[in-house]
Amino acid sequence: AQKITQTQPGMFVQEKEAVTLDCTYDTSDPSYGLFWYKQPSSGEMIFLIYQGSYDQQNATEGRYSLNFQKARKSANLVISASQLGDSAMYFCAMREAGYGGATNKLIFGTGTLLAVQP
Amino acid sequence: DVKVTQSSRYLVKRTGEKVFLECVQDMDHENMFWYRQDPGLGLRLIYFSYDVKMKEKGDIPEGYSVSREKKERFSLILESASTNQTSMYLCASSHGATNSNQPQHFGDGTRLSIL
């Protein structure tokens, strides 16, 4: 069965430092996609970054980058130069494989709460 | 920008009531989703719809039903609300193409309390 695991319930990071949020996944489908979302205390889910299983390069979006290690089935989110506004819950998600191909459904991890300290 | 609008940010209802949560998206997305979010459990899919009048059960459909009469609107219905349905409810929408890099876009969520 497909599964997403985020082993860090919570983390602290100093402002301006880089931080890595862990995500491992389990799937037997060769075609899949991985997403990271940010959820501030206000509740909305904000899409951050996407990595496809066949992408040759690690995805980057501004201060966000994805450390994609396919053989290890990990897709860690790296936030460079942390800011106070980065304090939020972060979710890793995988596009679910279905019979005959991928679906549009996502499987979510349990999230990591990041607190950026001044 | 994609806009997904949920009708209420906060809602308080009584046990046994029939509760309607409404979601509207303005980007002509084919797919719409309802999730509930509970601490330590992440987001769990209740129902989703890939077309008007079409629906499929997610991982936790018991006690819920949905309605999609128009493409832009997806309603979640709690037939007879119970206290264990107190939760944060999130609606999302996305394009219909599979194997795509298109993310799901979320509304702001509804914090529902059943007393």
Side-chain angles (χ1 to χ4, degrees), chain A residues 31 35 37 39 42-45 47 50 91 95 102 104-106 108-110, chain B residues 9 31 33 35 37 40 42 45 48 95-101 103-104 106 108:
Chain A
S31 176
F35 300 80
Y37 284 86
Q39 186 182 42
S42 50
E44 74 273 26
M45 294 280 282
F47 166 67
Y50 168 83
F91 289 97
R95 189 177 62 233
N104 293 109
K105 293 192 290 183
L106 295 179
F108 285 83
T110 53
Chain B
R9 289 301 305 273
N31 298 325
F33 308 83
Y35 296 89
Q37 181 181 5
L45 182 64
F48 73 102
H95 284 297
T98 56
N99 288 320
S100 78
N101 63 353
Q104 291 183 14
F106 285 81
D108 290 344

PDB file of all heavy atoms in Angstrom, chain A residues 31 35 37 39 42-45 47 50 91 95 102 104-106 108-110, chain B residues 9 31 33 35 37 40 42 45 48 95-101 103-104 106 108:
ATOM      1  N   SER A  31       5.555   5.547 -11.724  1.00  0.00           N
ATOM      2  CA  SER A  31       5.167   6.919 -12.036  1.00  0.00           C
ATOM      3  C   SER A  31       4.388   7.505 -10.868  1.00  0.00           C
ATOM      4  O   SER A  31       3.310   7.007 -10.516  1.00  0.00           O
ATOM      5  CB  SER A  31       4.295   6.943 -13.300  1.00  0.00           C
ATOM      6  OG  SER A  31       3.835   8.253 -13.549  1.00  0.00           O
ATOM      7  N   PHE A  35       4.392  16.217  -3.607  1.00  0.00           N
ATOM      8  CA  PHE A  35       4.042  17.608  -3.375  1.00  0.00           C
ATOM      9  C   PHE A  35       4.366  17.986  -1.935  1.00  0.00           C
ATOM     10  O   PHE A  35       4.247  17.160  -1.033  1.00  0.00           O
ATOM     11  CB  PHE A  35       2.543  17.836  -3.585  1.00  0.00           C
ATOM     12  CG  PHE A  35       2.036  17.502  -4.963  1.00  0.00           C
ATOM     13  CD1 PHE A  35       1.778  16.189  -5.330  1.00  0.00           C
ATOM     14  CD2 PHE A  35       1.792  18.509  -5.881  1.00  0.00           C
ATOM     15  CE1 PHE A  35       1.289  15.872  -6.600  1.00  0.00           C
ATOM     16  CE2 PHE A  35       1.304  18.205  -7.148  1.00  0.00           C
ATOM     17  CZ  PHE A  35       1.055  16.889  -7.498  1.00  0.00           C
ATOM     18  N   TYR A  37       3.178  20.998   0.885  1.00  0.00           N
ATOM     19  CA  TYR A  37       2.256  22.083   1.200  1.00  0.00           C
ATOM     20  C   TYR A  37       2.639  22.704   2.534  1.00  0.00           C
ATOM     21  O   TYR A  37       3.161  22.030   3.436  1.00  0.00           O
ATOM     22  CB  TYR A  37       0.819  21.560   1.311  1.00  0.00           C
ATOM     23  CG  TYR A  37       0.142  21.253  -0.004  1.00  0.00           C
ATOM     24  CD1 TYR A  37       0.300  20.013  -0.614  1.00  0.00           C
ATOM     25  CD2 TYR A  37      -0.668  22.195  -0.631  1.00  0.00           C
ATOM     26  CE1 TYR A  37      -0.332  19.720  -1.817  1.00  0.00           C
ATOM     27  CE2 TYR A  37      -1.305  21.914  -1.833  1.00  0.00           C
ATOM     28  CZ  TYR A  37      -1.129  20.679  -2.413  1.00  0.00           C
ATOM     29  OH  TYR A  37      -1.766  20.401  -3.606  1.00  0.00           O
ATOM     30  N   GLN A  39       0.966  24.932   5.758  1.00  0.00           N
ATOM     31  CA  GLN A  39      -0.291  25.329   6.387  1.00  0.00           C
ATOM     32  C   GLN A  39      -0.003  26.247   7.574  1.00  0.00           C
ATOM     33  O   GLN A  39       0.344  25.786   8.661  1.00  0.00           O
ATOM     34  CB  GLN A  39      -1.099  24.111   6.835  1.00  0.00           C
ATOM     35  CG  GLN A  39      -2.481  24.475   7.355  1.00  0.00           C
ATOM     36  CD  GLN A  39      -3.261  23.277   7.833  1.00  0.00           C
ATOM     37  OE1 GLN A  39      -2.715  22.398   8.495  1.00  0.00           O
ATOM     38  NE2 GLN A  39      -4.562  23.222   7.502  1.00  0.00           N
ATOM     39  N   SER A  42      -3.422  30.067  10.249  1.00  0.00           N
ATOM     40  CA  SER A  42      -4.717  30.513   9.722  1.00  0.00           C
ATOM     41  C   SER A  42      -5.485  29.396   9.009  1.00  0.00           C
ATOM     42  O   SER A  42      -6.685  29.517   8.793  1.00  0.00           O
ATOM     43  CB  SER A  42      -4.514  31.686   8.760  1.00  0.00           C
ATOM     44  OG  SER A  42      -3.521  31.368   7.810  1.00  0.00           O
ATOM     45  N   GLY A  43      -4.791  28.316   8.642  1.00  0.00           N
ATOM     46  CA  GLY A  43      -5.496  27.134   8.167  1.00  0.00           C
ATOM     47  C   GLY A  43      -5.415  26.820   6.685  1.00  0.00           C
ATOM     48  O   GLY A  43      -5.603  25.665   6.306  1.00  0.00           O
ATOM     49  N   GLU A  44      -5.147  27.807   5.833  1.00  0.00           N
ATOM     50  CA  GLU A  44      -5.137  27.488   4.407  1.00  0.00           C
ATOM     51  C   GLU A  44      -3.922  26.656   4.026  1.00  0.00           C
ATOM     52  O   GLU A  44      -2.867  26.783   4.609  1.00  0.00           O
ATOM     53  CB  GLU A  44      -5.191  28.766   3.555  1.00  0.00           C
ATOM     54  CG  GLU A  44      -3.911  29.567   3.508  1.00  0.00           C
ATOM     55  CD  GLU A  44      -3.777  30.559   4.640  1.00  0.00           C
ATOM     56  OE1 GLU A  44      -4.374  30.338   5.717  1.00  0.00           O
ATOM     57  OE2 GLU A  44      -3.064  31.551   4.458  1.00  0.00           O
ATOM     58  N   MET A  45      -4.093  25.778   3.058  1.00  0.00           N
ATOM     59  CA  MET A  45      -3.008  24.933   2.554  1.00  0.00           C
ATOM     60  C   MET A  45      -2.407  25.603   1.321  1.00  0.00           C
ATOM     61  O   MET A  45      -3.106  25.847   0.344  1.00  0.00           O
ATOM     62  CB  MET A  45      -3.548  23.556   2.170  1.00  0.00           C
ATOM     63  CG  MET A  45      -4.052  22.739   3.341  1.00  0.00           C
ATOM     64  SD  MET A  45      -2.713  21.954   4.241  1.00  0.00           S
ATOM     65  CE  MET A  45      -2.353  20.586   3.139  1.00  0.00           C
ATOM     66  N   PHE A  47       0.356  25.422  -1.694  1.00  0.00           N
ATOM     67  CA  PHE A  47       1.248  24.565  -2.474  1.00  0.00           C
ATOM     68  C   PHE A  47       2.622  25.208  -2.577  1.00  0.00           C
ATOM     69  O   PHE A  47       2.750  26.394  -2.905  1.00  0.00           O
ATOM     70  CB  PHE A  47       0.659  24.336  -3.861  1.00  0.00           C
ATOM     71  CG  PHE A  47       1.618  23.757  -4.848  1.00  0.00           C
ATOM     72  CD1 PHE A  47       2.107  22.465  -4.690  1.00  0.00           C
ATOM     73  CD2 PHE A  47       2.065  24.498  -5.931  1.00  0.00           C
ATOM     74  CE1 PHE A  47       2.997  21.929  -5.593  1.00  0.00           C
ATOM     75  CE2 PHE A  47       2.953  23.976  -6.839  1.00  0.00           C
ATOM     76  CZ  PHE A  47       3.423  22.682  -6.674  1.00  0.00           C
ATOM     77  N   TYR A  50       6.745  20.788  -6.346  1.00  0.00           N
ATOM     78  CA  TYR A  50       6.388  19.486  -6.909  1.00  0.00           C
ATOM     79  C   TYR A  50       7.621  18.794  -7.477  1.00  0.00           C
ATOM     80  O   TYR A  50       8.502  19.433  -8.062  1.00  0.00           O
ATOM     81  CB  TYR A  50       5.360  19.665  -8.029  1.00  0.00           C
ATOM     82  CG  TYR A  50       5.132  18.431  -8.859  1.00  0.00           C
ATOM     83  CD1 TYR A  50       4.252  17.448  -8.430  1.00  0.00           C
ATOM     84  CD2 TYR A  50       5.818  18.234 -10.067  1.00  0.00           C
ATOM     85  CE1 TYR A  50       4.043  16.309  -9.181  1.00  0.00           C
ATOM     86  CE2 TYR A  50       5.610  17.090 -10.819  1.00  0.00           C
ATOM     87  CZ  TYR A  50       4.725  16.133 -10.371  1.00  0.00           C
ATOM     88  OH  TYR A  50       4.525  15.000 -11.108  1.00  0.00           O
ATOM     89  N   PHE A  91       3.265  19.724   5.074  1.00  0.00           N
ATOM     90  CA  PHE A  91       2.795  18.397   4.709  1.00  0.00           C
ATOM     91  C   PHE A  91       3.446  17.935   3.405  1.00  0.00           C
ATOM     92  O   PHE A  91       3.510  18.690   2.431  1.00  0.00           O
ATOM     93  CB  PHE A  91       1.269  18.396   4.505  1.00  0.00           C
ATOM     94  CG  PHE A  91       0.482  18.538   5.771  1.00  0.00           C
ATOM     95  CD1 PHE A  91       0.015  19.782   6.160  1.00  0.00           C
ATOM     96  CD2 PHE A  91       0.225  17.443   6.572  1.00  0.00           C
ATOM     97  CE1 PHE A  91      -0.722  19.924   7.333  1.00  0.00           C
ATOM     98  CE2 PHE A  91      -0.513  17.576   7.739  1.00  0.00           C
ATOM     99  CZ  PHE A  91      -0.981  18.816   8.118  1.00  0.00           C
ATOM    100  N   ARG A  95       0.947  11.712  -5.110  1.00  0.00           N
ATOM    101  CA  ARG A  95      -0.175  11.411  -5.990  1.00  0.00           C
ATOM    102  C   ARG A  95      -0.359   9.906  -6.003  1.00  0.00           C
ATOM    103  O   ARG A  95       0.582   9.151  -6.243  1.00  0.00           O
ATOM    104  CB  ARG A  95       0.097  11.943  -7.393  1.00  0.00           C
ATOM    105  CG  ARG A  95      -1.093  11.884  -8.339  1.00  0.00           C
ATOM    106  CD  ARG A  95      -0.753  12.490  -9.667  1.00  0.00           C
ATOM    107  NE  ARG A  95       0.322  11.760 -10.329  1.00  0.00           N
ATOM    108  CZ  ARG A  95       1.435  12.328 -10.782  1.00  0.00           C
ATOM    109  NH1 ARG A  95       1.641  13.623 -10.641  1.00  0.00           N
ATOM    110  NH2 ARG A  95       2.353  11.603 -11.374  1.00  0.00           N
ATOM    111  N   ALA A 102      -2.005   6.645 -12.732  1.00  0.00           N
ATOM    112  CA  ALA A 102      -2.123   7.544 -11.584  1.00  0.00           C
ATOM    113  C   ALA A 102      -3.505   8.177 -11.553  1.00  0.00           C
ATOM    114  O   ALA A 102      -4.149   8.380 -12.576  1.00  0.00           O
ATOM    115  CB  ALA A 102      -1.050   8.611 -11.649  1.00  0.00           C
ATOM    116  N   ASN A 104      -5.833  11.416  -9.496  1.00  0.00           N
ATOM    117  CA  ASN A 104      -5.594  12.767  -9.010  1.00  0.00           C
ATOM    118  C   ASN A 104      -5.687  12.841  -7.491  1.00  0.00           C
ATOM    119  O   ASN A 104      -5.636  13.918  -6.922  1.00  0.00           O
ATOM    120  CB  ASN A 104      -6.590  13.735  -9.636  1.00  0.00           C
ATOM    121  CG  ASN A 104      -6.361  13.887 -11.121  1.00  0.00           C
ATOM    122  OD1 ASN A 104      -7.147  13.410 -11.924  1.00  0.00           O
ATOM    123  ND2 ASN A 104      -5.264  14.510 -11.486  1.00  0.00           N
ATOM    124  N   LYS A 105      -5.815  11.715  -6.831  1.00  0.00           N
ATOM    125  CA  LYS A 105      -5.912  11.723  -5.380  1.00  0.00           C
ATOM    126  C   LYS A 105      -4.527  11.848  -4.773  1.00  0.00           C
ATOM    127  O   LYS A 105      -3.539  11.375  -5.331  1.00  0.00           O
ATOM    128  CB  LYS A 105      -6.585  10.441  -4.893  1.00  0.00           C
ATOM    129  CG  LYS A 105      -8.047  10.343  -5.296  1.00  0.00           C
ATOM    130  CD  LYS A 105      -8.756   9.225  -4.562  1.00  0.00           C
ATOM    131  CE  LYS A 105      -8.313   7.866  -5.017  1.00  0.00           C
ATOM    132  NZ  LYS A 105      -9.076   6.785  -4.330  1.00  0.00           N
ATOM    133  N   LEU A 106      -4.463  12.491  -3.627  1.00  0.00           N
ATOM    134  CA  LEU A 106      -3.214  12.641  -2.895  1.00  0.00           C
ATOM    135  C   LEU A 106      -3.285  11.886  -1.576  1.00  0.00           C
ATOM    136  O   LEU A 106      -4.328  11.844  -0.927  1.00  0.00           O
ATOM    137  CB  LEU A 106      -2.923  14.113  -2.604  1.00  0.00           C
ATOM    138  CG  LEU A 106      -2.662  15.025  -3.803  1.00  0.00           C
ATOM    139  CD1 LEU A 106      -2.421  16.453  -3.334  1.00  0.00           C
ATOM    140  CD2 LEU A 106      -1.481  14.523  -4.611  1.00  0.00           C
ATOM    141  N   PHE A 108      -1.510  12.055   2.100  1.00  0.00           N
ATOM    142  CA  PHE A 108      -0.756  13.017   2.902  1.00  0.00           C
ATOM    143  C   PHE A 108      -0.038  12.345   4.062  1.00  0.00           C
ATOM    144  O   PHE A 108      -0.521  11.357   4.635  1.00  0.00           O
ATOM    145  CB  PHE A 108      -1.689  14.086   3.465  1.00  0.00           C
ATOM    146  CG  PHE A 108      -2.139  15.093   2.456  1.00  0.00           C
ATOM    147  CD1 PHE A 108      -3.203  14.840   1.620  1.00  0.00           C
ATOM    148  CD2 PHE A 108      -1.480  16.310   2.328  1.00  0.00           C
ATOM    149  CE1 PHE A 108      -3.615  15.769   0.664  1.00  0.00           C
ATOM    150  CE2 PHE A 108      -1.880  17.246   1.393  1.00  0.00           C
ATOM    151  CZ  PHE A 108      -2.946  16.974   0.558  1.00  0.00           C
ATOM    152  N   GLY A 109       1.116  12.912   4.424  1.00  0.00           N
ATOM    153  CA  GLY A 109       1.765  12.553   5.665  1.00  0.00           C
ATOM    154  C   GLY A 109       1.095  13.266   6.826  1.00  0.00           C
ATOM    155  O   GLY A 109       0.150  14.044   6.645  1.00  0.00           O
ATOM    156  N   THR A 110       1.602  13.014   8.029  1.00  0.00           N
ATOM    157  CA  THR A 110       0.989  13.589   9.229  1.00  0.00           C
ATOM    158  C   THR A 110       1.483  14.995   9.535  1.00  0.00           C
ATOM    159  O   THR A 110       0.963  15.647  10.427  1.00  0.00           O
ATOM    160  CB  THR A 110       1.228  12.693  10.446  1.00  0.00           C
ATOM    161  OG1 THR A 110       2.628  12.442  10.549  1.00  0.00           O
ATOM    162  CG2 THR A 110       0.480  11.374  10.310  1.00  0.00           C
TER     163      THR A 110
ATOM    164  N   ARG B   9     -15.887  29.737   7.919  1.00  0.00           N
ATOM    165  CA  ARG B   9     -14.610  29.448   8.573  1.00  0.00           C
ATOM    166  C   ARG B   9     -14.844  28.683   9.865  1.00  0.00           C
ATOM    167  O   ARG B   9     -14.056  27.821  10.225  1.00  0.00           O
ATOM    168  CB  ARG B   9     -13.851  30.739   8.885  1.00  0.00           C
ATOM    169  CG  ARG B   9     -13.280  31.453   7.678  1.00  0.00           C
ATOM    170  CD  ARG B   9     -12.303  30.597   6.874  1.00  0.00           C
ATOM    171  NE  ARG B   9     -11.196  30.053   7.641  1.00  0.00           N
ATOM    172  CZ  ARG B   9     -10.053  30.667   7.870  1.00  0.00           C
ATOM    173  NH1 ARG B   9      -9.853  31.890   7.381  1.00  0.00           N
ATOM    174  NH2 ARG B   9      -9.091  30.089   8.554  1.00  0.00           N
ATOM    175  N   ASN B  31     -11.880  18.175 -11.017  1.00  0.00           N
ATOM    176  CA  ASN B  31     -11.841  17.410  -9.767  1.00  0.00           C
ATOM    177  C   ASN B  31     -12.080  18.284  -8.551  1.00  0.00           C
ATOM    178  O   ASN B  31     -11.554  19.398  -8.459  1.00  0.00           O
ATOM    179  CB  ASN B  31     -10.475  16.748  -9.590  1.00  0.00           C
ATOM    180  CG  ASN B  31     -10.154  15.768 -10.685  1.00  0.00           C
ATOM    181  OD1 ASN B  31     -11.015  15.090 -11.187  1.00  0.00           O
ATOM    182  ND2 ASN B  31      -8.889  15.711 -11.051  1.00  0.00           N
ATOM    183  N   PHE B  33     -12.485  17.808  -4.049  1.00  0.00           N
ATOM    184  CA  PHE B  33     -12.180  16.882  -2.962  1.00  0.00           C
ATOM    185  C   PHE B  33     -12.664  17.464  -1.631  1.00  0.00           C
ATOM    186  O   PHE B  33     -12.602  18.676  -1.428  1.00  0.00           O
ATOM    187  CB  PHE B  33     -10.662  16.654  -2.847  1.00  0.00           C
ATOM    188  CG  PHE B  33      -9.994  16.250  -4.126  1.00  0.00           C
ATOM    189  CD1 PHE B  33      -9.616  17.196  -5.073  1.00  0.00           C
ATOM    190  CD2 PHE B  33      -9.711  14.920  -4.379  1.00  0.00           C
ATOM    191  CE1 PHE B  33      -8.978  16.831  -6.245  1.00  0.00           C
ATOM    192  CE2 PHE B  33      -9.074  14.537  -5.551  1.00  0.00           C
ATOM    193  CZ  PHE B  33      -8.715  15.492  -6.481  1.00  0.00           C
ATOM    194  N   TYR B  35     -11.672  16.817   2.463  1.00  0.00           N
ATOM    195  CA  TYR B  35     -10.813  16.174   3.443  1.00  0.00           C
ATOM    196  C   TYR B  35     -11.253  16.596   4.845  1.00  0.00           C
ATOM    197  O   TYR B  35     -11.813  17.673   5.038  1.00  0.00           O
ATOM    198  CB  TYR B  35      -9.354  16.637   3.299  1.00  0.00           C
ATOM    199  CG  TYR B  35      -8.669  16.283   2.011  1.00  0.00           C
ATOM    200  CD1 TYR B  35      -8.722  17.127   0.908  1.00  0.00           C
ATOM    201  CD2 TYR B  35      -7.918  15.115   1.903  1.00  0.00           C
ATOM    202  CE1 TYR B  35      -8.063  16.812  -0.274  1.00  0.00           C
ATOM    203  CE2 TYR B  35      -7.240  14.790   0.727  1.00  0.00           C
ATOM    204  CZ  TYR B  35      -7.329  15.644  -0.354  1.00  0.00           C
ATOM    205  OH  TYR B  35      -6.664  15.332  -1.517  1.00  0.00           O
ATOM    206  N   GLN B  37      -9.188  17.083   8.613  1.00  0.00           N
ATOM    207  CA  GLN B  37      -7.852  17.148   9.183  1.00  0.00           C
ATOM    208  C   GLN B  37      -7.950  17.083  10.690  1.00  0.00           C
ATOM    209  O   GLN B  37      -8.631  17.903  11.324  1.00  0.00           O
ATOM    210  CB  GLN B  37      -7.153  18.453   8.766  1.00  0.00           C
ATOM    211  CG  GLN B  37      -5.750  18.572   9.308  1.00  0.00           C
ATOM    212  CD  GLN B  37      -5.076  19.868   8.921  1.00  0.00           C
ATOM    213  OE1 GLN B  37      -5.670  20.752   8.314  1.00  0.00           O
ATOM    214  NE2 GLN B  37      -3.800  19.995   9.235  1.00  0.00           N
ATOM    215  N   GLY B  40      -2.284  14.941  14.327  1.00  0.00           N
ATOM    216  CA  GLY B  40      -1.568  13.672  14.320  1.00  0.00           C
ATOM    217  C   GLY B  40      -1.992  12.703  13.230  1.00  0.00           C
ATOM    218  O   GLY B  40      -1.369  11.648  13.062  1.00  0.00           O
ATOM    219  N   GLY B  42      -2.957  13.942   9.924  1.00  0.00           N
ATOM    220  CA  GLY B  42      -2.828  14.550   8.608  1.00  0.00           C
ATOM    221  C   GLY B  42      -4.189  14.793   7.978  1.00  0.00           C
ATOM    222  O   GLY B  42      -5.191  14.958   8.663  1.00  0.00           O
ATOM    223  N   LEU B  45      -8.995  11.741   3.103  1.00  0.00           N
ATOM    224  CA  LEU B  45      -9.962  12.002   2.051  1.00  0.00           C
ATOM    225  C   LEU B  45     -11.316  11.399   2.403  1.00  0.00           C
ATOM    226  O   LEU B  45     -11.417  10.204   2.703  1.00  0.00           O
ATOM    227  CB  LEU B  45      -9.445  11.431   0.726  1.00  0.00           C
ATOM    228  CG  LEU B  45     -10.311  11.657  -0.504  1.00  0.00           C
ATOM    229  CD1 LEU B  45     -10.407  13.154  -0.831  1.00  0.00           C
ATOM    230  CD2 LEU B  45      -9.734  10.895  -1.688  1.00  0.00           C
ATOM    231  N   PHE B  48     -14.456  12.403  -3.193  1.00  0.00           N
ATOM    232  CA  PHE B  48     -14.043  13.280  -4.268  1.00  0.00           C
ATOM    233  C   PHE B  48     -14.950  13.102  -5.470  1.00  0.00           C
ATOM    234  O   PHE B  48     -15.713  12.132  -5.553  1.00  0.00           O
ATOM    235  CB  PHE B  48     -12.569  13.073  -4.623  1.00  0.00           C
ATOM    236  CG  PHE B  48     -12.263  11.797  -5.354  1.00  0.00           C
ATOM    237  CD1 PHE B  48     -12.057  11.802  -6.713  1.00  0.00           C
ATOM    238  CD2 PHE B  48     -12.147  10.600  -4.670  1.00  0.00           C
ATOM    239  CE1 PHE B  48     -11.755  10.637  -7.394  1.00  0.00           C
ATOM    240  CE2 PHE B  48     -11.846   9.429  -5.341  1.00  0.00           C
ATOM    241  CZ  PHE B  48     -11.652   9.449  -6.709  1.00  0.00           C
ATOM    242  N   HIS B  95      -7.184  20.252 -11.758  1.00  0.00           N
ATOM    243  CA  HIS B  95      -7.485  19.851 -13.128  1.00  0.00           C
ATOM    244  C   HIS B  95      -7.653  18.343 -13.203  1.00  0.00           C
ATOM    245  O   HIS B  95      -7.154  17.606 -12.348  1.00  0.00           O
ATOM    246  CB  HIS B  95      -6.358  20.293 -14.055  1.00  0.00           C
ATOM    247  CG  HIS B  95      -6.387  21.747 -14.361  1.00  0.00           C
ATOM    248  ND1 HIS B  95      -7.434  22.342 -15.027  1.00  0.00           N
ATOM    249  CD2 HIS B  95      -5.505  22.735 -14.078  1.00  0.00           C
ATOM    250  CE1 HIS B  95      -7.188  23.638 -15.143  1.00  0.00           C
ATOM    251  NE2 HIS B  95      -6.038  23.907 -14.584  1.00  0.00           N
ATOM    252  N   GLY B  96      -8.293  17.890 -14.265  1.00  0.00           N
ATOM    253  CA  GLY B  96      -8.619  16.479 -14.365  1.00  0.00           C
ATOM    254  C   GLY B  96      -7.539  15.602 -14.948  1.00  0.00           C
ATOM    255  O   GLY B  96      -7.615  14.400 -14.884  1.00  0.00           O
ATOM    256  N   ALA B  97      -6.496  16.188 -15.543  1.00  0.00           N
ATOM    257  CA  ALA B  97      -5.481  15.371 -16.196  1.00  0.00           C
ATOM    258  C   ALA B  97      -4.729  14.537 -15.172  1.00  0.00           C
ATOM    259  O   ALA B  97      -4.244  15.040 -14.172  1.00  0.00           O
ATOM    260  CB  ALA B  97      -4.496  16.259 -16.953  1.00  0.00           C
ATOM    261  N   THR B  98      -4.610  13.250 -15.462  1.00  0.00           N
ATOM    262  CA  THR B  98      -3.841  12.397 -14.555  1.00  0.00           C
ATOM    263  C   THR B  98      -2.365  12.477 -14.923  1.00  0.00           C
ATOM    264  O   THR B  98      -1.986  13.017 -15.952  1.00  0.00           O
ATOM    265  CB  THR B  98      -4.312  10.949 -14.646  1.00  0.00           C
ATOM    266  OG1 THR B  98      -4.219  10.527 -16.013  1.00  0.00           O
ATOM    267  CG2 THR B  98      -5.746  10.820 -14.188  1.00  0.00           C
ATOM    268  N   ASN B  99      -1.548  11.937 -14.071  1.00  0.00           N
ATOM    269  CA  ASN B  99      -0.101  11.976 -14.279  1.00  0.00           C
ATOM    270  C   ASN B  99       0.410  13.392 -14.506  1.00  0.00           C
ATOM    271  O   ASN B  99       1.341  13.597 -15.274  1.00  0.00           O
ATOM    272  CB  ASN B  99       0.297  11.107 -15.485  1.00  0.00           C
ATOM    273  CG  ASN B  99       0.162   9.628 -15.182  1.00  0.00           C
ATOM    274  OD1 ASN B  99       0.491   9.181 -14.103  1.00  0.00           O
ATOM    275  ND2 ASN B  99      -0.329   8.886 -16.145  1.00  0.00           N
ATOM    276  N   SER B 100      -0.207  14.340 -13.868  1.00  0.00           N
ATOM    277  CA  SER B 100       0.184  15.718 -14.099  1.00  0.00           C
ATOM    278  C   SER B 100       0.855  16.288 -12.860  1.00  0.00           C
ATOM    279  O   SER B 100       0.761  15.738 -11.775  1.00  0.00           O
ATOM    280  CB  SER B 100      -1.031  16.571 -14.458  1.00  0.00           C
ATOM    281  OG  SER B 100      -1.773  16.875 -13.298  1.00  0.00           O
ATOM    282  N   ASN B 101       1.518  17.403 -13.067  1.00  0.00           N
ATOM    283  CA  ASN B 101       2.137  18.091 -11.946  1.00  0.00           C
ATOM    284  C   ASN B 101       1.232  19.149 -11.350  1.00  0.00           C
ATOM    285  O   ASN B 101       1.686  19.970 -10.557  1.00  0.00           O
ATOM    286  CB  ASN B 101       3.454  18.718 -12.398  1.00  0.00           C
ATOM    287  CG  ASN B 101       3.231  19.787 -13.466  1.00  0.00           C
ATOM    288  OD1 ASN B 101       2.116  19.966 -13.943  1.00  0.00           O
ATOM    289  ND2 ASN B 101       4.289  20.474 -13.835  1.00  0.00           N
ATOM    290  N   PRO B 103      -1.100  20.824  -8.914  1.00  0.00           N
ATOM    291  CA  PRO B 103      -1.428  20.582  -7.505  1.00  0.00           C
ATOM    292  C   PRO B 103      -2.920  20.714  -7.248  1.00  0.00           C
ATOM    293  O   PRO B 103      -3.651  21.265  -8.067  1.00  0.00           O
ATOM    294  CB  PRO B 103      -0.658  21.684  -6.790  1.00  0.00           C
ATOM    295  CG  PRO B 103      -0.657  22.814  -7.766  1.00  0.00           C
ATOM    296  CD  PRO B 103      -0.531  22.165  -9.133  1.00  0.00           C
ATOM    297  N   GLN B 104      -3.333  20.234  -6.115  1.00  0.00           N
ATOM    298  CA  GLN B 104      -4.669  20.540  -5.631  1.00  0.00           C
ATOM    299  C   GLN B 104      -4.620  21.913  -4.963  1.00  0.00           C
ATOM    300  O   GLN B 104      -3.669  22.240  -4.254  1.00  0.00           O
ATOM    301  CB  GLN B 104      -5.142  19.480  -4.638  1.00  0.00           C
ATOM    302  CG  GLN B 104      -5.407  18.135  -5.285  1.00  0.00           C
ATOM    303  CD  GLN B 104      -5.940  17.116  -4.301  1.00  0.00           C
ATOM    304  OE1 GLN B 104      -6.352  17.446  -3.196  1.00  0.00           O
ATOM    305  NE2 GLN B 104      -5.954  15.848  -4.725  1.00  0.00           N
ATOM    306  N   PHE B 106      -6.502  24.510  -2.337  1.00  0.00           N
ATOM    307  CA  PHE B 106      -7.352  24.345  -1.169  1.00  0.00           C
ATOM    308  C   PHE B 106      -8.075  25.633  -0.791  1.00  0.00           C
ATOM    309  O   PHE B 106      -7.575  26.739  -1.014  1.00  0.00           O
ATOM    310  CB  PHE B 106      -6.505  23.903   0.030  1.00  0.00           C
ATOM    311  CG  PHE B 106      -6.089  22.467  -0.027  1.00  0.00           C
ATOM    312  CD1 PHE B 106      -5.010  22.069  -0.788  1.00  0.00           C
ATOM    313  CD2 PHE B 106      -6.788  21.509   0.700  1.00  0.00           C
ATOM    314  CE1 PHE B 106      -4.631  20.733  -0.848  1.00  0.00           C
ATOM    315  CE2 PHE B 106      -6.413  20.177   0.662  1.00  0.00           C
ATOM    316  CZ  PHE B 106      -5.338  19.786  -0.121  1.00  0.00           C
ATOM    317  N   ASP B 108      -9.849  27.766   2.576  1.00  0.00           N
ATOM    318  CA  ASP B 108      -9.302  28.152   3.875  1.00  0.00           C
ATOM    319  C   ASP B 108      -9.701  27.211   5.012  1.00  0.00           C
ATOM    320  O   ASP B 108      -9.180  27.336   6.123  1.00  0.00           O
ATOM    321  CB  ASP B 108      -9.752  29.567   4.242  1.00  0.00           C
ATOM    322  CG  ASP B 108      -9.082  30.613   3.372  1.00  0.00           C
ATOM    323  OD1 ASP B 108      -8.061  30.270   2.721  1.00  0.00           O
ATOM    324  OD2 ASP B 108      -9.563  31.759   3.323  1.00  0.00           O
TER     325      ASP B 108
END
